[in-house]
Amino acid sequence: MKGTRLSVQFILGLLDHGETPQSIIEEYNYITEKDIRSCLLFANEVMENNFFTPFAHSK
């Protein structure tokens, strides 16, 4: 459907703010449980492929 795309960041934000997959599906009836799982998988893969270096604190 044209104009109905939601970003991964948006879906993750909804989950972070307490929405359940079911409530997201009810609100956005073109989203499926598989879509939500795909968002989580994508976020996991992005995190696995990043290297984080902690900042050293100077006094």
Side-chain angles (χ1 to χ4, degrees):
M1 296 175 69
K2 185 176 181 171
T4 57
R5 293 183 184 187
L6 299 176
S7 69
V8 170
Q9 182 180 9
F10 182 78
I11 297 295
L12 294 176
L14 291 173
L15 293 168
D16 181 49
H17 284 91
E19 294 294 333
T20 64
Q22 189 58 40
S23 68
I24 295 170
I25 292 166
E26 289 172 5
E27 181 70 25
Y28 304 97
N29 59 3
Y30 48 89
I31 299 293
T32 66
E33 187 175 334
K34 182 180 178 186
D35 295 328
I36 295 170
R37 285 194 315 269
S38 294
C39 289
L40 294 170
L41 178 61
F42 175 79
N44 182 63
E45 288 177 2
V46 167
M47 295 303 295
E48 283 182 349
N49 292 318
N50 279 302
F51 179 75
F52 293 97
T53 304
F55 289 107
H57 294 283
S58 59
K59 292 182 182 184

